[in-house]
Amino acid sequence: MWKFIKKLFLILVLANILFIIFGIFFNPPITFTQLGGLIKYGKLQRDYIPYDEMGNNVKKAVIASEDQLFYSHNGFDYKQIEKAMKKNDKKGKVVRGGSTISQQTAKNIFLWQGRSWIRKGLEAIYTFIIEKIWGKDIILERYLNSIEMGQGVFGVEAASNYYFNKPAKDMTKSEAAWIAAVLPNPKKYDPKNPSPYLRKKHNWIMRQMNNIVLK
């Protein structure tokens, strides 16, 4: 039994190493989140595109909305994590997340959705590894290609076509900000029918985009 467990562990470690190396060159064939969307909504609308074909507007919008220190941190924004923990403790439930784009990428590519300590621990390990091995551009490309942006809609290219009938590289600043605005809850928010909250967030992202410099 012990030999079997040891072999299984080694196989899993090797598989993870190969998957991480694979991720340097290729987007994931499918993720747990995408599989969940396919099962729930009966569709998987996505179109992986290279980093250079995404356009700068959507990159700036997502960084402005999700992780403004993306280029300067090592995968973890400890101040945001501390703020999130304090706010969640005060409310007695999870009302704010402190995850960086790197952490979200690790979760989206390698793991599953959820808030268990096991998942969070694995997320931290994967985040550390991809920051060292992939680098910022690959992390951002994988994130923008895999992130859920609607019901069964994944990635900026599919989202741009779904909401605006155009490729991601042609999105205006305002359109890119709408895409970024839905990210906290893409199943709930809809740029085609924005709530007052979503309009307010859209305007905030538009202003923040002026401060984002792509590396």
Side-chain angles (χ1 to χ4, degrees):
M1 184 65 178
W2 171 246
K3 288 183 178 180
F4 172 77
I5 294 174
K6 186 177 180 180
K7 286 182 179 180
L8 181 61
F9 177 77
L10 290 174
I11 290 171
L12 290 173
V13 170
L14 180 59
N16 273 276
I17 292 172
L18 293 175
F19 195 17
I20 291 167
I21 295 173
F22 177 88
I24 298 174
F25 306 100
F26 304 102
N27 288 283
I30 194 167
T31 67
F32 286 112
T33 305
Q34 291 172 355
L35 185 60
L38 177 61
I39 293 171
K40 184 173 183 178
Y41 301 110
K43 68 174 184 177
L44 176 55
Q45 190 170 338
R46 69 175 189 186
D47 188 5
Y48 292 150
I49 57 173
Y51 182 82
D52 293 337
E53 294 181 17
M54 292 176 171
N56 288 337
N57 280 332
V58 73
K59 296 172 189 174
K60 289 183 177 181
V62 169
I63 291 173
S65 175
E66 297 293 296
D67 184 5
Q68 294 191 19
L69 296 179
F70 174 66
Y71 288 110
S72 60
H73 63 58
N74 64 353
F76 306 93
D77 187 340
Y78 299 103
K79 289 184 178 180
Q80 287 301 318
I81 292 172
E82 184 179 359
K83 287 180 181 179
M85 291 178 65
K86 287 181 178 179
K87 189 165 186 177
N88 295 337
D89 286 342
K90 185 177 180 180
K91 295 292 184 179
K93 60 181 179 178
V94 177
V95 296
R96 172 177 176 163
S99 295
T100 63
I101 284 176
S102 302
Q103 288 175 273
Q104 292 180 55
T105 304
K107 177 184 68 177
N108 291 333
I109 301 298
F110 300 102
L111 302 169
W112 60 93
Q113 302 297 320
R115 300 188 181 278
S116 70
W117 286 109
I118 293 175
R119 207 273 294 155
K120 290 298 290 184
L122 290 172
E123 177 189 296
I125 294 170
Y126 280 116
T127 299
F128 176 81
I129 293 172
I130 64 175
E131 276 279 338
K132 297 297 183 182
I133 296 178
W134 287 7
K136 297 294 186 181
D137 284 358
I138 295 177
I139 289 173
L140 188 58
E141 179 183 327
R142 299 293 173 265
Y143 176 80
L144 291 174
N145 271 327
S146 65
I147 190 71
E148 187 173 15
M149 293 185 164
Q151 297 182 355
V153 180
F154 294 86
V156 294
E157 184 74 357
S160 182
N161 280 292
Y162 179 74
Y163 292 118
F164 306 117
N165 296 310
K166 62 174 64 176
K169 63 182 177 63
D170 293 335
M171 276 195 290
T172 64
K173 181 179 178 181
S174 177
E175 289 167 343
W178 281 120
I179 292 289
V182 307
L183 287 180
N185 197 336
K187 297 183 181 72
K188 176 181 178 181
Y189 300 127
D190 185 357
K192 295 179 180 179
N193 186 28
S195 63
Y197 166 79
L198 202 64
R199 291 183 183 277
K200 183 178 180 180
K201 184 172 183 181
H202 170 265
N203 292 334
W204 178 84
I205 293 172
M206 289 273 286
R207 294 192 299 271
Q208 295 301 309
M209 286 172 70
N210 296 325
N211 303 321
I212 303 300
V213 178
L214 299 175
K215 301 299 175 85

